[in-house]
Amino acid sequence: MINYTDAQILKGILRHDNLILQYIYKHYYYKVNYFIKKNQGSEEDASDVFQEAIIVIYRKLKENDLIFEKSSFAGYLFSVCRFLWLKQLEKRRIEREKLNDSLPFQEDVYDDNLVELVDKNQKYGLYQKHFKTLSTDCQKLLQMFFEKVPLREIAKIMGYKSEKYAKTRKYKCKELLIKRIKQDTEFKKILEDDT
């Protein structure tokens, strides 16, 4: 079995390298799973938290904002997972005192940027959830719009008769997506958390 360095792991996460991701799961998941199960969580919770932590690390890498000189990748990953689980417990109104943490806690991970990123992740998850409920036509159209494909091109690709129709269709799809997100109870919770 190959052992990867922290630098190789980080490059692998950025490249969505399946071998590296499998390596991370194989070597680090059990520790997070054990910690979460020991602290009022389930196997499913552990899996969700672990996946979200990888996404958080990926986003921090993309934004050139990942610094963990004081620890290793394993330590950093665990700290992010622990932070996410604390946030989840807080959401479930379980007092922090009940945490039975036998693993060392790293203060350096708790920066405002991470809190912001976790909030962004929640909002993105909500967006993804409702984006998937749109018609294939709307999804394709909005995806191209978000990728900054010119409306003229979108009209051609989608087979619309004019650029004006593509603009109207894009507006209607976007409005529908916004309406569905705003009606979601999770959206109201996020708004409450922000105040």
Side-chain angles (χ1 to χ4, degrees), residues 42-91:
S42 67
E43 185 84 40
E44 198 178 324
D45 292 326
S47 181
D48 290 348
V49 165
F50 198 79
Q51 280 177 352
E52 194 175 345
I54 300 291
I55 293 167
V56 165
I57 291 170
Y58 170 76
R59 290 207 173 139
K60 279 181 91 68
L61 282 167
K62 284 282 274 192
E63 291 167 16
N64 275 335
D65 191 34
L66 186 77
I67 303 152
F68 58 86
E69 297 109 14
K70 293 184 202 127
S71 70
S72 62
F73 172 77
Y76 188 82
L77 172 67
F78 182 76
S79 290
V80 172
C81 289
R82 187 182 189 282
F83 173 81
L84 292 169
W85 185 239
L86 274 174
K87 199 165 164 40
Q88 189 62 39
L89 286 178
E90 204 176 289
K91 248 184 168 179

Side-chain angles (χ1 to χ4, degrees), residues 23 25 28 35-36 63 87 110 116 128 148 177 182 186:
Y23 176 86
Y25 270 88
Y28 309 117
F35 167 71
I36 288 175
E63 291 167 16
K87 199 165 164 40
Y110 290 84
E116 204 179 294
Q128 282 286 87
K148 303 203 180 344
L177 178 61
K182 283 184 173 174
E186 197 58 40

Side-chain angles (χ1 to χ4, degrees), residues 11-25:
K11 277 184 195 149
I13 290 173
L14 264 177
R15 285 194 322 263
H16 303 284
D17 184 322
N18 274 334
L19 282 177
I20 296 281
L21 293 172
Q22 283 168 9
Y23 176 86
I24 294 168
Y25 270 88

Side-chain angles (χ1 to χ4, degrees), residues 14-179:
L14 264 177
R15 285 194 322 263
H16 303 284
D17 184 322
N18 274 334
L19 282 177
I20 296 281
L21 293 172
Q22 283 168 9
Y23 176 86
I24 294 168
Y25 270 88
K26 193 170 183 172
H27 285 80
Y28 309 117
Y29 177 72
Y30 73 93
K31 196 175 182 181
V32 172
N33 186 27
Y34 174 76
F35 167 71
I36 288 175
K37 280 180 164 176
K38 213 168 123 186
N39 291 289
Q40 296 95 31
S42 67
E43 185 84 40
E44 198 178 324
D45 292 326
S47 181
D48 290 348
V49 165
F50 198 79
Q51 280 177 352
E52 194 175 345
I54 300 291
I55 293 167
V56 165
I57 291 170
Y58 170 76
R59 290 207 173 139
K60 279 181 91 68
L61 282 167
K62 284 282 274 192
E63 291 167 16
N64 275 335
D65 191 34
L66 186 77
I67 303 152
F68 58 86
E69 297 109 14
K70 293 184 202 127
S71 70
S72 62
F73 172 77
Y76 188 82
L77 172 67
F78 182 76
S79 290
V80 172
C81 289
R82 187 182 189 282
F83 173 81
L84 292 169
W85 185 239
L86 274 174
K87 199 165 164 40
Q88 189 62 39
L89 286 178
E90 204 176 289
K91 248 184 168 179
R92 295 176 185 182
R93 312 264 187 277
I94 295 174
E95 327 75 73
R96 287 171 189 257
E97 289 77 45
K98 284 190 182 166
L99 268 182
N100 177 14
D101 183 9
S102 59
L103 293 153
F105 156 68
Q106 286 174 298
E107 198 60 60
D108 60 332
V109 113
Y110 290 84
D111 57 14
D112 293 336
N113 188 307
L114 186 62
V115 175
E116 204 179 294
L117 205 56
V118 169
D119 288 343
K120 259 193 228 169
N121 260 11
Q122 284 179 318
K123 288 171 187 162
Y124 183 69
L126 194 59
Y127 156 79
Q128 282 286 87
K129 175 180 161 187
H130 290 285
F131 185 80
K132 286 176 189 161
T133 67
L134 296 173
S135 66
T136 314
D137 191 55
C138 267
Q139 285 184 35
K140 196 173 172 187
L141 172 66
L142 287 177
Q143 192 63 48
M144 285 190 278
F145 172 71
F146 294 141
E147 287 168 4
K148 303 203 180 344
V149 175
L151 279 168
R152 200 178 324 108
E153 280 291 300
I154 293 175
K156 208 185 289 179
I157 293 166
M158 298 298 287
Y160 298 149
K161 52 189 177 279
S162 69
E163 196 176 322
K164 192 178 176 196
Y165 179 78
K167 192 176 181 178
T168 308
R169 188 86 179 101
K170 181 224 32 160
Y171 176 79
K172 284 182 178 168
C173 290
K174 203 172 163 189
E175 283 302 294
L176 181 63
L177 178 61
I178 291 166
K179 184 182 165 196

